[in-house]
Each structure stands twice: as C-alpha cells, then as structure tokens.
Amino acid sequence: MAEHFDVVILGGGPGGYAAALYGAAAGLRIALVEESRVGGTCLHRGCIPAKELLQTAEVLRTVRDAAEFGVGVGEPTLDLPVALARKQKVVDKLTKGLESLLKGRQVTVVPGTGMIADAADRRLRVADGTECTGDALVLATGSAPRSIPGIDVDGERVLSSDHVLALDRVPARTAIIGGGAIGCEFASYLHDVGSEVTLLEALPAILPGVDAQVADVVFRAFRRRGISMHTGVHVEGVEGVEPTVVRFTEAGNVSTLEVDAVVVSVGRRPRSEGIGLEGSGVAVDPHGYVVVDGCMRTAVPGVYAVGDLVATPALAHVGFAEAIVAIKSVLGEDPAPLDYDKVPWGIYCHPEVAFSGLTEAVARERGHDVVTSVHRFGGNSRAIVLGETDGMVKIVAERDGPVLGVHLAGPWATELLAEGYLAVSWEATAAEIGALIHAHPTLSELFGETALALTGRGLHG
Ligand code: NAI
C-alpha cells in the first residue's frame, strides 16, 4: 500500500528541496525522493564546490600580490589535498544544514532512485519497491554534463565539471572545450593554481549570452593573465594519453594541441531519461526537457516540473523560484509566471561577471530605443584601493524610460548585482537610481554614477 502525501517530489536538488521546504512551510505533507544526499548538482557537483575552489584561487592571488601592499610572505604554494578537504567541509556543513531544515519541517526524505509508476495517479516507485502517491507530483531530477559525440569523457584525461571539482592534481597543461560559464570559471581556477590553460570556444566570442562589452572585459583580462583562447574553433577530436592531443579547426586550418587534461564544458542536458516519462503523458521536447506552462504544470494534471529539467536557465536560484511557483500552483494561489529575461546571473571567474535583464544587442533586436552608459572600475576609488580595477558597469535603458539591463564585470560583481537586479525588476529609471545616495568610497557608487551619467549630468566623467 503506497503512502499518500500532499506532494511527492522526485529529486532533492535546489528545485526539489525548495519545493519541499516551501511546501512544508505552507503546511503541506511532503515526501522527497533522493538517490544520493540532498543538495543536488549545486551543492555537490556545481555552484558550491566550484565557488569554494575559486576562493582558494583568490587567496593564492591575494598572497601573490601581497608584496605590492608592503606585506612580505614569499611565493605561496598550493596544498591541493587541504584545499579539497576544505571544499568538502563546506559542502558537508551545508548538506547537514539542509538535512536538518528538512527534518525540522517534517519532510519525509525517501532514499533511493525513484521513477514515475503512474503519472495520472501521481505515483512514484523507488528502487526498493516502496511506492508513494501525492495529490501533486513535482519532478526535479536536474541535469548532467553534456559531452561532444566522439569524445569519451573518461574522468582520467578527459574530464567533465564533476571530475574537475574532485581533481587531486593540477594538470601541467589543460585544454578547456567550451567558453561558457563553466569553461570560464574553470579556466580562471586552473590558471590560478598553475595549469597552462587553453580555452577552445566554437562561437566567435567567449561567454555567449553575456553582453559583448562585458565578455570582452573577461577576454582581455584572461589574455593578460596568460590564458590562451581560440574562438570560432571546431574541435575534431581528442586522442592519446601522455600527451593527449586535441585536434581542432580554426579559420579553416587544422591545429593540434598537446595537453595533460581536457575539460569538456559544452553545456548540460536534462536528466529526463529513465524516470518513467515515456508513455506517462508528460510532454518532453526534442532536447529532452519536460514541457511546462508558466505555473510549472506539465501536460498531466497534478504533475509539475522545475529546475534544470525544464528549458529555463540552469541556475539554482531559478530552480528555487520555479519551486515556489509550482507549490503556489498546488495551493491554488495562481502565481505569476517568472520573468526569465530578468533572472540575475553570476559567473565567478576573475574578473567576475554578473548581469540581469537584456543585453544591448538583444534590447536593440527587440526594437527598444536603447541608450547605454558604461563606467569602468579604473576610476573608482575603492577598486583602486583594492588593486582590482579591471571591469565595468554597463546600464542598458530605454530612452526616457526604464532600465532594461544591468551588466557588470569586475571586483565583487556577483554581489554588486543585487542593486542592479532591483533596478531591472522594478523597472527603475536612470533618474530614480541617480537620485539615490551611494556610500563613498564603495564599489557600488559606480552603479549610481553610471545611472547619473544617463541623465546627462554625471559627476565623474
Ligand atoms: P554554456 O552553455 O554556458 O556554455 C557552453 C559553451 O560551449 C558555449 O559557449 C558553446 O558555444 C560552447 N561549445 C558548445 N559545443 C562546443 C564545441 N563542440 N566546441 C567548442 N565549444 C563548444 O554551458 P556550461 O558553461 O557548460 O554551463 C552549463 C550551464 O550551467 C550554464 O548555462 C548555466 O546555466 C549553468 N552554470 C552557471 C554558472 C553560474 O551562473 N555561475 C556556473 C556554471 C554553470
């Protein structure tokens, strides 16, 4: 006899656990089926371990630059086992915190691999035969790294993001295939810890989807740091061991690159196979994403899907937001669909990138009467004090209208975005932002200055 709950959730990553916590806070009885520890890609194989290792890279850079500040410490060395142990400690602490939150809210965590037994009945079956049913079923099985046909990701020489985060050696030479968010974060990290990095990107520029001027800041900073980049390349194949050879075509010419490791970071794919979707009535698109409406409802009544399993930005905080929408739908609260154009993004390479809203190119494509303002950290007092002057703030706005997009590169950009996100979300005008007082000296005053300049009366240029 299957145990019955108000909501049964398949997958305990950010989408699934947020649905569980939010639903439980609203008084619903929840079962959460998870095959591993709760936390998903974000906590175990993504955001958190990646940011933790990037913090090790930042400490290394700070120590390397210490002499400039009159602090003598000598050349730093990297103890990778200690760094990995710290990373695991951070992950464990957050996992335990999450487990106790779920327990505190009386969420029943069902261990094991689950699959849909009957979608219309909202029934899940777990590997050991346990079944549970719900008035609602939320699918949140997430995503996995994608590879390139013909390239075997063996975890030894050819690595996915999962492998890089557990790597206990620094390859002397690394090729990174794919210059998106993951590729750029790993290029930054691996370079800082001592690898000779070459980034191979298929498109004409790195960081697709990022405003071109901001992506260019990263491109130039990477080049100055000694990261080698090839754009517009077609990777033909990866062969051999010691050395491994990457063959690629660039502007019609075939080149080869000898490396000690290859990282494949060409995107992620939804984990929609093997969870009982075939014949369930739940619609899946040709790329394997579960099809949902603005309330996260699938084609089967009472069945919802959230997070990386649906074709929206593969970000933990998007999963959180979608989980809330799904639970509000379950509760009959008629939630407003999310505005995916305004989602805040953060990319933690050095220099950091963060943005929300439309890029200049997309705003123009959509027919907006666009005005822009760009200010660089090179003139910002706090950035000069920090010795971190690479980067800029760019505001894209409608002429005499609201801010359409805020785009940042530079020191603490991922934290600075919060104000930009509010501006984009609340459709503030440049004059409204310009009238706000920004503390001096701070990095954030560059945002105020950039907005003020759009009124035609900037203070500092
Ligand atoms: P991505 O889609 O952001 O970038 C993949 C890159 O690989 C693209 O630039 C693409 O043009 C390139 N590419 C594809 N096939 C290629 C080929 N055969 N040869 C060379 N280049 C090729 O995917 P990525 O970086 O793997 O990240 C996946 C997702 O994970 C992101 O879209 C994002 O949603 C999420 N993520 C977000 C982060 C953040 O916000 N800090 C960090 C890491 C991941």
Side-chain angles (χ1 to χ4, degrees), residues 7-63:
V7 184
V8 175
I9 302 166
L10 182 59
Y17 75 67
L21 293 173
Y22 193 79
L28 298 174
R29 260 190 92 226
I30 310 271
L32 178 66
V33 178
E34 168 56 53
E35 63 191 1
S36 176
R37 289 185 82 186
V38 289
T41 297
C42 169
L43 188 43
H44 300 286
R45 298 174 299 281
C47 326
I48 302 300
K51 266 83 271 185
E52 214 288 329
L53 291 177
L54 282 157
Q55 190 58 31
T56 288
E58 160 134 27
V59 172
L60 262 177
R61 278 199 310 274
T62 303
V63 176

Side-chain angles (χ1 to χ4, degrees), residues 51 146 148 177-183 185 200-203 205 207-208 233 235 265-268 313-315 345-348:
K51 266 83 271 185
R146 206 159 66 74
I148 304 173
I177 306 177
I182 295 183
E185 288 188 358
L200 303 172
E201 166 59 46
L203 294 174
L207 292 173
V233 303
V235 176
S265 49
V266 295
R268 301 184 61 86
L315 299 168
W345 283 78
I347 303 172
Y348 297 70

